[in-house]
Amino acid sequence: MRADARENHDRVLEVAARAFEREGTGASLKAIAREAGVGIGTVYRRFPTREALVEAVYRQEVDRLCAAGLELAATRPGVDALREWMELFVDFMAAKRGLGETLRAVLTSDDDKQQTRDRLRATIAALLATEGVRPGIEPNDLLMALGGITLIAAEERQRELATRLVGLLLDGVRAR
């Protein structure tokens, strides 16, 4: 992809992610194109359907979340890295809710869902292997606990509640 085409592609994904988070997947594609500074034809050339755009936004967000986890594991003290990543995960899950039913329809294959879970578990494993983290914690257990926290916080519409629950979970993960 040419550099300018890559920039347009990335800008469309950025704008679409914000629009989907605010308005859900019914957000106007014309408004997304306008805010990204491209024509609607450019959006449809890259993403022939709304579902293709939703899937691309989702995959980009998973990529970012996993890359952030690996970067944090490499550059921050263990428990601090884990806390920061867990907060990013909560935000990721909140944004993912805006993708709702469309995302469920797009990720119909169990392989797609499993691939995402495997990537998240690998990221968590890297974070759990850092200094200050209690040994023996299974990445899947932490992933499930974080998933529960995001569900509870979403029902209560309280981001602060999620932060408090992440703190409690982190206390259980911290090495003694």
Side-chain angles (χ1 to χ4, degrees), residues 39 42 57-58 75 96 110 130 141 153 157 163 169 172-173 176:
T42 299
V57 166
Y58 173 74
T75 61
K96 182 179 157 190
D110 287 338
T130 58
D141 294 349
R157 298 188 192 276
T163 296
L169 180 58
V173 171
R176 302 282 180 239

Side-chain angles (χ1 to χ4, degrees), residues 14-41:
E14 292 296 321
V15 170
R18 288 193 306 269
F20 293 157
E21 188 174 349
R22 270 190 326 264
E23 304 166 39
T25 57
S28 164
L29 296 183
K30 285 182 183 176
I32 289 170
R34 187 172 40 255
E35 187 179 335
V38 300
I40 190 68

